[in-house]
């Protein structure tokens, strides 16, 4: 005899509309003894998601985008229960589980049995239809993929210092202090990445590039994706944006991936705070600002930071290469010899490009809406100048700055469009 769980799922999951959900929820509401089995079925859907390349943060983010926060908390509850069965989890999973919303488990059958069952079935319907995405690491319970090595168990002291500097930059209300703190953090990031590259070369490490996903959520996701692309490029990584699923995949070597996550998050916090202050000033002068102001602000912020990051990256790499030549006793004109820093970094660039092309053999190019509010553009440019990176260093070729005007493009390339930007998508 077919179980009530199977009956409810058959009624609700393979049809559209609220009527199908109501039918399934009515069956479940009348069967309190099926509650545990219902949650086990949800955990099975979560397990399938791992097999399709999803990670905990990806899943919660997508549920929030497609449904709402209430269902995102339910998804977090199922994720916490499903992952508790594994003795060991892949890299980055523990941190993502620690950040699940709602402090799972969520209380069952609230506000009533019917509503709770309806929420679960709608969540199941979404999980059932998840597309397969490119894996960025092994699923729980599978063999470790050597291309995606985990971060060290103990965070390097350098990253701890960088994290503390960026936290202070986000918290301060003084732009000059935030600028100085962020500049110092970027200097440490540059040194950390170059040191890791040289160590890997000298030890003949066989570790290749890995990948991680970073959420790029509405509103103003185009500008955020361009900002992330600029941060990734300046730190010897490549970013591919999936706007439909709300994230970018960043490909690079592990030390650089950690830096991109830290810096993008901090710059986004600083940019949002600066935008809020600029809007307050506009309102105080009696001028009402709308979505176009914010879109133009963040687009200018992303464009300007991209230009500054690229410039400072080239300077820092040149300085580090000169230091390396001096330390090894090489003449200045021999700085680019095969034993120097530049060939090491070039080899890593090639490895990252090849890994990106293997993961994403096809990318598309789309137009993005450009800036249309001159005040928003000017304020965004000024905010980017205050958040400038004073010692960036991974030496990726720069992507040019934009100007107030029309749209830009997403796709492969090394230049920004007018008022937009060009990234892989």
């Amino acid at each position: 005899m077919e179980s009530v769980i199977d009956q409810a799922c058959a009624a609700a999951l393979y049809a559209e509309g609220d009527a199908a959900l109501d039918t399934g929820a009515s069956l479940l509401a009348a069967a309190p003894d099926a509650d545990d089995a219902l949650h086990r079925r949800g955990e099975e859907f979560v397990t399938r998601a791992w097999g399709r390349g999803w990670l905990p943060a990806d899943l919660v983010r997508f549920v929030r985008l497609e449904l709402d926060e209430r269902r995102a908390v339910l998804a977090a509850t199922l994720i916490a229960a499903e992952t508790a069965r594994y003795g060991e989890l892949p890299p980055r999973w523990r941190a993502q589980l620690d950040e699940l919303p709602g402090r799972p488990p969520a209380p069952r059958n609230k506000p009533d049995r019917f509503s709770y069952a309806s929420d679960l079935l709608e969540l199941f319907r979404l999980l059932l239809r998840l597309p397969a995405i490119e894996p960025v690491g092994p699923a729980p319970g599978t063999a470790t993929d050597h291309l995606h090595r985990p971060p060290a168990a103990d965070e390097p002291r350098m990253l701890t210092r960088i994290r503390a500097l960026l936290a202070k930059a986000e918290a301060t209300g003084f732009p000059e202090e935030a600028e100085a703190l962020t500049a110092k953090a970027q200097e440490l990031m540059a040194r950390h990445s170059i040191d890791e590259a040289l160590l890997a070369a000298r030890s003949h490490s066989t570790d290749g590039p890995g990948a991680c996903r970073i959420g790029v959520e509405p509103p103003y996701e185009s500008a955020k994706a361009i900002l992330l692309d600029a941060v990734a490029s300046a730190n010897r990584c490549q970013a591919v944006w999936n706007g439909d699923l709300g994230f970018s995949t960043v490909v690079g070597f592990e030390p650089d991936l950690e830096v991109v996550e830290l810096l993008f998050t901090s710059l986004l916090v600083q940019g949002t705070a600066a935008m809020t202050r600029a809007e307050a000033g506009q309102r105080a002068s009696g001028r009402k600002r709308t979505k176009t102001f914010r879109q133009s602000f963040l687009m200018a912020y992303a464009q300007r930071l991209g230009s500054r990051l690229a410039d400072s990256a080239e300077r820092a790499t040149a300085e580090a290469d000169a230091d390396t030549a001096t330390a090894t006793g090489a003449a200045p004109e021999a700085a680019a010899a095969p034993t120097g820093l530049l060939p090491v970094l070039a080899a890593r660039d090639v490895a990252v490009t090849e890994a990106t092309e293997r993961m994403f053999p096809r990318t598309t190019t789309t137009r993005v809406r450009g800036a249309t509010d001159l005040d928003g553009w000017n304020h965004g440019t000024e905010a980017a100048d205050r958040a400038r990176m004073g010692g960036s260093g991974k030496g990726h070729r720069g992507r040019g700055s934009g100007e107030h005007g029309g749209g830009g493009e997403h796709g492969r390339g090394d230049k920004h469009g007018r008022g937009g930007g060009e990234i892989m998508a």
Side-chain angles (χ1 to χ4, degrees):
M1 181 178 177
E2 190 176 34
S3 71
V4 66
I5 303 297
D6 290 334
Q7 294 176 36
C9 288
L13 304 190
Y14 303 97
E16 299 291 343
D18 293 338
L21 286 175
D22 290 347
T23 299
S26 297
L27 291 169
L28 295 172
D33 57 337
D35 287 358
D36 290 341
L38 178 62
H39 282 80
R40 286 194 296 271
R41 181 63 58 88
E43 292 172 30
E44 293 173 6
F45 283 120
V46 169
T47 303
R48 294 181 191 178
W50 307 154
R52 295 176 183 176
W54 293 74
L55 272 63
D58 304 327
L59 201 54
V60 170
R61 184 187 310 114
F62 188 61
V63 172
R64 185 182 291 117
L65 288 173
E66 293 295 310
L67 299 176
D68 55 27
E69 184 64 26
R70 188 174 72 251
R71 261 69 68 92
V73 172
L74 286 179
T77 296
L78 296 177
I79 290 170
E82 197 277 343
T83 53
R85 70 183 65 168
Y86 304 107
E88 185 176 357
L89 290 169
R92 291 192 172 84
W93 281 56
R94 180 56 58 193
Q96 293 189 15
L97 293 175
D98 290 341
E99 295 176 359
L100 290 176
R103 295 184 180 180
R108 293 188 180 184
N109 300 316
K110 299 294 183 179
D112 55 70
R113 291 189 56 81
F114 177 85
S115 299
Y116 183 76
S118 180
D119 283 349
L120 275 176
L121 289 173
E122 191 166 13
L123 173 60
F124 291 0
R125 179 189 283 178
L126 182 65
L127 297 180
L128 178 67
R129 301 173 186 181
L130 285 177
I133 57 179
E134 182 63 35
V136 294
T142 62
T144 301
D145 184 346
H146 73 281
L147 293 179
H148 304 278
R149 65 181 179 88
D154 297 321
E155 182 175 78
R157 182 178 300 178
M158 185 72 78
L159 285 183
T160 302
R161 292 180 61 193
I162 291 169
R163 198 183 300 276
L165 286 169
L166 292 177
K168 290 180 181 178
E170 295 163 18
T172 182
F174 301 97
E176 295 80 6
E177 183 182 8
E179 172 188 326
L181 291 166
T182 307
K184 180 60 177 177
Q186 183 63 25
E187 291 175 5
L188 296 180
M189 290 176 184
R191 189 74 261 175
H192 174 64
S193 178
I194 290 172
D195 288 347
E196 289 284 338
L198 289 172
L199 177 62
R202 290 165 183 162
S203 63
H204 304 287
S205 172
T206 58
D207 289 331
C212 68
R213 295 198 193 97
I214 298 177
V216 181
E217 302 179 51
Y220 319 116
E221 57 270 31
S222 296
K224 294 175 184 176
I226 292 170
L227 175 60
L228 177 53
D229 182 70
V231 173
S233 297
N235 288 281
R236 312 201 71 82
C237 297
Q238 295 191 17
V240 180
W241 180 40
N242 189 321
D244 292 338
L245 301 183
F247 61 72
S248 284
T249 302
V250 182
V251 183
F253 286 86
E254 190 63 45
D256 301 328
L257 293 178
E258 293 172 316
V259 164
V260 169
E261 290 184 273
L262 283 173
L263 184 57
F264 171 70
T265 301
S266 179
L267 290 176
L268 194 57
V269 169
Q270 293 183 54
T272 302
M275 181 178 67
T276 301
R277 289 193 296 269
E279 279 194 300
Q282 293 290 321
R283 287 194 297 269
S285 64
R287 301 177 64 186
K288 184 178 180 181
R289 287 299 157 196
T290 62
K291 182 178 179 180
T292 58
F293 176 88
R294 302 183 190 117
Q295 173 73 19
S296 299
F297 181 102
L298 289 176
M299 191 68 76
Y301 182 75
Q303 290 266 13
R304 182 64 168 168
L305 273 175
S307 177
R308 300 185 71 89
L309 281 166
D311 291 343
S312 56
E314 292 177 357
R315 288 196 306 271
T317 301
E319 292 170 2
D321 187 56
D323 291 344
T324 302
T326 301
T328 56
E333 61 271 16
T339 56
L341 172 63
L342 295 184
V344 171
L345 297 181
R348 289 168 81 89
D349 283 345
V350 170
V352 169
T353 297
E354 291 177 346
T356 304
E357 291 176 348
R358 284 195 302 270
M359 292 179 70
F360 303 99
R362 294 181 298 274
T363 57
T364 60
T365 301
T366 58
R367 301 288 298 181
V368 297
R369 181 182 179 185
T372 57
D373 188 301
L374 181 59
D375 285 339
W377 182 268
N378 290 336
H379 279 290
T381 301
E382 293 169 3
D385 286 340
R386 289 194 297 269
R388 72 179 186 270
M389 304 296 99
S392 174
K394 294 3 171 242
H396 196 286
R397 181 172 62 254
R399 304 190 181 194
S401 62
E403 60 183 275
H404 176 70
E409 291 186 347
H410 285 185
R412 293 182 182 271
D414 295 316
K415 61 182 179 179
H416 282 162
R418 291 171 56 86
E422 193 170 84
I423 63 176
M424 285 185 286

